[in-house]
Amino acid sequence: MFRTEWPVARLSQLLTDVQPGFARDPGDGDVGIAQLRTNNVDRNGELSLETVKRVDASEAELTKYSVTPGDVIFNNTNSPELVGKTAFFDLDGDWVLSNHMTRLRVNPEVVDPKFLARVLHFYWGMGFSGRRGKQWVNQAAVDARALSTFPIPLPTLSEQRRIVETLDEARDIRQLRQQAYGLTADLIPAIFHDMFGEELSEVQYVRLGAITSEIQYGTSTASAETGYTTLRIPNVVGDTVSYDELVTVPLSEAEAKKYFLSDHDMLFVRTNGNPEYVGRSAVFNRQLANEAGLNEQEVIFASYLIRLRLKEDSFEPEFVASYLRTPIGRRDVMRQSKTSAGQFNINTQGLKGLAIPAVPRDRQLRFIEVVREIDDLKRSLMYESQCIDLKLNRSLLAHAFSGELTAEWREANRELLEQEAAKRDKWLHEAGVKLTVADTKIEVKAKDQDDRHEDLNREQHELLRQIQSLELDASAGTFTLSTLTDSLVEPLDKLSVATVRRHLDVLTARGLVKSISRRAGAGGSIDVAFGNAYRLPKNNKQAVKTDSEADEVRMTELDRMSRQGRVFHETLTDQLTLSEKIAATSERLSAGNLAPVSGLYQEIGPDGELGKTVSIEKGKSLPPPSLEGGVYVKKGDE
């Protein structure tokens, strides 16, 4: 049961300031004021400063839009999946926000800003922020009015800080594990040295320009809401191409063709304020782009990257990229780089001047086989780790906001908390804050399946049904992402690979599908390498256990708390009365959506107000709402 003793207030009643940022094209180099953008808040609700843009800002703009330690940063515009990410700001120096970010300041007598950031990021993880946003093609926005209605629970300040401290400890552990996975990048230079170290002083070297067939800067056209998928500096991470935080650039077809990426294209970072990043490279792979849900034939690259294509049958791009990550290769890159205004740069001439060891091609190919095997393992381990991290983070947040996380601490500090509660309530009363208390008796409508099915959407239910219908005996009871996608039938036959992967993540996290490790045999594709196979649980009535038994036991308990947190979340955010008998887990439907079942649908406004009730037959379109920004939910049986 969640904490009924915590009063709940709308965010607008707790704010002292709310200010969106401003739009400004970034300048070149390290000149200007650092501007935080959507990519600077990650999925775990932490600041990410790997790529920071700088803009010109007047004194008046700096005064109006600056962020200072103690502010909360809310991502107001992004894809429907990412809108609502929130982080606490604690950096020194001059910083401003882009127009896709909103600065929040609260009264510290009643709300700790770190606690507020955790609450808002919890709402993002539950999908609440995306549902409250206005949506258009591939974008969603939560404006200041909608944000101001978000309900915020108000434990005492001491309990808020205790919750934050505990969540920060979990964050630190998560970051240590991520750093450990990051060390696998050091394996490849070590293997390179093991295979070729002794002969590097004996072989001949060739200039990279002598084996290059084409070298080109990317497009300098600014990004927009539509256009061609474009890779930027943040997408060339370490030794691979990342497909997170993508942008689109509007170009004519004729112009875009100049920048289309092909298999084996090498991408180099040509400028960065960090010398460790300049000259870093990755090799583009169309299959991986396709698995990320992209049209792999129409991916382009931005101007801060340089594309280099090697002559056929000369050198393998993976070999060249791996050599340039070794200490010897990095020293050569830095010799060819220049510095200007604190920015490190390498141009096309500098790249052409890099010296590459002329190792026999058959040995290059043997090295690449080893590298790909390591890359497959690393990708699988990091992917599984990220899934676990996201689940644990969201479960811990739900555990925290149910009050269970601080139960023992609260009992040990009862006298202090009673004093703080009286002070808090006095301030709230004098400020005229209208409070609500979450109703513990609100019921979740029962379903035919066990509770692991509760949060699945229609596509996920159908995907699970089709998985259960697969003929799996021929593959030892397993299937892969590719085989599953190829076997899907209506209504899922048009789903992208990326969408199927996301649905599999949900089914795996709920214990309805098990992710297993199975190594590809000779000639196997990258898709059947380590960790990319799945099977159904042997007993479909029980949650499956992963190889990490201790983590799974903990996750099972946290998942129970997560369900409590979900009820808490729905109770706060929807604020539906029991007399209306609306199921708390009902899916929100917009005008024009097809009714999934026949029955009564209740209209709800953006502030929780109730509108008309309509009777709709299954498969019929829902009518335009009478309330501005209204949506529909299916009412429970009368």
Side-chain angles (χ1 to χ4, degrees):
M1 192 66 63
F2 54 85
R3 288 292 294 168
T4 59
E5 288 83 353
W6 291 350
V8 176
R10 287 190 177 185
L11 179 58
S12 61
Q13 299 171 309
L14 308 173
L15 292 172
T16 61
D17 176 77
V18 54
Q19 178 62 58
F22 64 101
R24 184 71 45 84
D25 289 334
D28 292 327
D30 202 28
V31 179
I33 304 299
Q35 185 183 55
L36 295 177
R37 300 180 172 220
T38 58
N39 62 290
N40 297 123
V41 175
D42 68 19
R43 292 171 182 256
N44 287 313
E46 306 292 343
L47 291 177
S48 174
L49 304 179
E50 184 172 344
T51 301
V52 176
K53 301 293 186 181
R54 292 183 174 272
V55 298
D56 292 329
S58 65
E59 287 295 327
E61 289 173 326
L62 186 58
T63 300
K64 181 177 181 179
Y65 298 110
S66 65
V67 283
T68 57
D71 290 345
V72 175
I73 301 173
F74 179 85
N75 177 201
N76 63 56
T77 304
N78 210 319
S79 67
E81 177 188 5
L82 297 177
V83 68
K85 295 182 300 177
T86 307
F88 174 77
F89 183 81
D90 58 355
L91 303 176
D92 295 325
D94 291 332
W95 298 81
V96 293
L97 299 179
S98 78
N99 59 316
H100 290 166
M101 313 296 282
T102 297
R103 180 190 70 205
L104 302 175
R105 291 173 178 165
V106 292
N107 190 316
E109 293 185 27
V110 69
V111 183
D112 184 282
K114 286 186 177 181
F115 178 79
L116 175 64
R118 296 290 190 178
V119 172
L120 293 178
H121 196 71
F122 171 67
Y123 282 156
W124 167 77
M126 299 295 287
F128 171 65
S129 303
R131 293 197 298 271
R132 280 292 173 100
K134 297 178 181 179
Q135 299 194 17
W136 60 98
V137 180
N138 298 323
Q139 290 284 300
V142 180
D143 60 21
R145 178 179 175 276
L147 180 58
S148 69
T149 67
F150 281 31
I152 308 299
L154 296 174
T156 63
L157 280 174
S158 290
E159 188 165 4
Q160 291 178 37
R161 290 164 184 158
R162 178 64 178 176
I163 289 171
V164 169
E165 288 173 4
T166 306
L167 294 175
D168 283 350
E169 290 175 2
R171 175 203 61 198
D172 294 341
I173 294 172
R174 183 174 64 246
Q175 290 177 344
L176 286 173
R177 184 167 64 251
Q178 290 172 346
Q179 290 172 11
Y181 282 127
L183 293 176
T184 59
D186 296 336
L187 281 174
I188 295 185
I191 292 172
F192 189 96
H193 183 270
D194 183 61
M195 293 183 65
F196 307 115
E198 293 183 359
E199 62 186 279
L200 289 182
S201 60
E202 301 174 0
V203 299
Q204 293 184 339
Y205 282 72
V206 298
R207 297 296 178 185
L208 186 55
I211 57 174
T212 296
S213 64
E214 180 182 332
I215 189 167
Q216 180 184 4
Y217 293 105
T219 176
S220 58
T221 303
S223 61
E225 294 174 7
T226 59
Y228 291 93
T229 300
T230 306
L231 301 181
R232 303 169 298 154
I233 290 177
N235 304 114
V236 181
V237 178
D239 55 356
T240 187
V241 174
S242 166
Y243 295 102
D244 294 330
E245 306 291 349
L246 293 167
V247 301
T248 54
V249 171
L251 295 176
S252 67
E253 183 177 355
E255 183 72 10
K257 285 181 178 180
K258 297 189 299 185
Y259 304 109
F260 284 158
L261 291 169
S262 300
D263 274 331
H264 311 303
D265 282 355
M266 298 184 68
L267 291 172
F268 288 84
V269 175
R270 70 174 181 89
T271 183
N272 204 279
N274 187 336
E276 294 300 317
Y277 291 161
V278 69
R280 67 181 177 179
S281 62
V283 179
F284 182 74
N285 183 308
R286 280 189 168 181
Q287 180 179 343
L288 296 182
N290 175 268
E291 290 179 3
L294 305 178
N295 180 346
E296 71 278 13
Q297 298 182 13
E298 296 187 352
V299 179
I300 63 176
F301 60 106
S303 59
Y304 285 162
L305 299 178
I306 296 175
R307 176 181 62 194
L308 186 145
R309 288 175 174 168
L310 300 178
K311 294 178 180 177
E312 291 187 12
D313 302 324
S314 59
F315 280 67
E316 293 298 316
E318 290 91 347
F319 172 83
V320 174
S322 296
Y323 167 72
L324 293 176
R325 287 195 292 274
T326 66
I328 297 174
R330 285 301 305 168
R331 284 197 295 270
D332 198 13
V333 169
M334 293 312 299
R335 280 195 295 268
Q336 297 289 345
S337 301
K338 299 178 181 179
T339 308
S340 175
Q343 198 80 349
F344 294 85
N345 302 276
I346 187 168
N347 57 24
T348 56
Q349 292 304 311
L351 289 179
K352 289 179 179 180
L354 296 175
I356 309 298
V359 172
R361 196 153 182 266
D362 61 332
R363 301 198 61 214
Q364 293 183 37
L365 293 172
R366 172 59 188 145
F367 170 74
I368 290 170
E369 289 178 5
V370 177
V371 169
R372 287 177 179 171
E373 188 172 287
I374 292 173
D375 283 345
D376 292 345
L377 175 58
K378 181 175 66 175
R379 192 159 43 243
S380 297
L381 288 174
M382 293 188 68
Y383 178 70
E384 291 178 358
S385 175
Q386 288 167 359
C387 292
I388 292 173
D389 282 347
L390 282 173
K391 179 177 175 63
L392 282 174
N393 190 39
R394 294 174 185 177
S395 295
L396 280 170
L397 286 170
H399 193 31
F401 300 135
S402 71
E404 295 290 335
L405 190 64
T406 47
E408 293 183 6
W409 177 88
R410 192 166 50 247
E411 185 64 26
N413 294 273
R414 180 180 298 179
E415 184 176 342
L416 169 66
L417 296 182
E418 288 177 351
Q419 295 173 359
E420 287 194 3
K423 183 179 179 181
R424 173 201 62 197
D425 295 344
K426 181 174 183 278
W427 183 92
L428 293 171
H429 176 73
E430 292 176 350
V433 175
K434 182 179 179 181
L435 299 175
T436 61
V437 176
D439 191 340
T440 63
K441 298 181 180 179
I442 193 165
E443 298 177 356
V444 178
K445 187 175 180 180
K447 291 183 169 64
D448 295 335
Q449 304 100 328
D450 64 68
D451 57 8
R452 290 178 290 140
H453 297 74
E454 286 183 352
D455 296 324
L456 302 183
N457 61 30
R458 289 195 303 275
E459 282 188 354
Q460 291 157 0
H461 275 292
E462 175 62 20
L463 181 63
L464 180 60
R465 187 194 68 77
Q466 293 198 24
I467 290 173
Q468 292 168 341
S469 301
L470 291 175
E471 295 290 340
L472 298 176
D473 291 342
S475 301
T478 65
F479 61 92
T480 67
L481 178 63
S482 291
T483 59
L484 175 61
T485 305
D486 292 342
S487 67
L488 293 178
V489 297
E490 290 185 352
L492 306 183
D493 56 324
K494 302 298 184 183
L495 290 184
S496 69
V497 174
T499 300
V500 176
R501 188 198 298 275
R502 286 195 295 270
H503 289 337
L504 277 174
D505 290 346
V506 174
L507 298 179
T508 302
R510 302 298 294 171
L512 296 166
V513 170
K514 181 174 175 60
S515 175
I516 64 173
S517 294
R518 181 164 68 85
R519 182 172 176 176
S525 73
I526 214 170
D527 189 51
V528 291
F530 295 91
N532 282 336
Y534 303 84
R535 68 167 172 81
L536 289 167
K538 295 179 180 179
N539 182 351
N540 207 32
K541 295 295 184 182
Q542 300 175 352
V544 298
K545 294 184 179 180
T546 66
D547 296 333
S548 304
E549 183 72 20
D551 280 349
E552 183 60 25
V553 170
R554 178 171 177 79
M555 287 171 62
T556 300
E557 174 62 14
L558 291 177
D559 189 53
R560 180 179 70 80
M561 299 303 177
S562 176
R563 289 195 295 275
Q564 293 178 350
R566 176 182 50 74
V567 176
F568 163 76
H569 158 73
E570 296 289 353
T571 304
L572 286 178
T573 56
D574 292 335
Q575 298 183 7
L576 307 179
T577 62
L578 289 173
S579 61
E580 292 297 328
K581 297 183 180 179
I582 299 174
T585 55
S586 294
E587 180 179 4
R588 292 169 177 267
L589 302 168
S590 301
N593 288 161
L594 302 182
V597 295
S598 299
L600 298 177
Y601 288 80
Q602 174 68 57
E603 183 184 348
I604 304 175
D607 296 328
E609 65 272 29
L610 299 179
K612 63 185 179 183
T613 299
V614 296
S615 178
I616 300 291
E617 294 182 3
K618 178 180 178 180
K620 299 295 185 181
S621 297
L622 290 163
S626 59
L627 298 174
E628 182 180 357
V631 295
Y632 293 94
V633 296
K634 175 71 172 64
K635 293 187 68 172
D637 297 331
E638 297 292 340

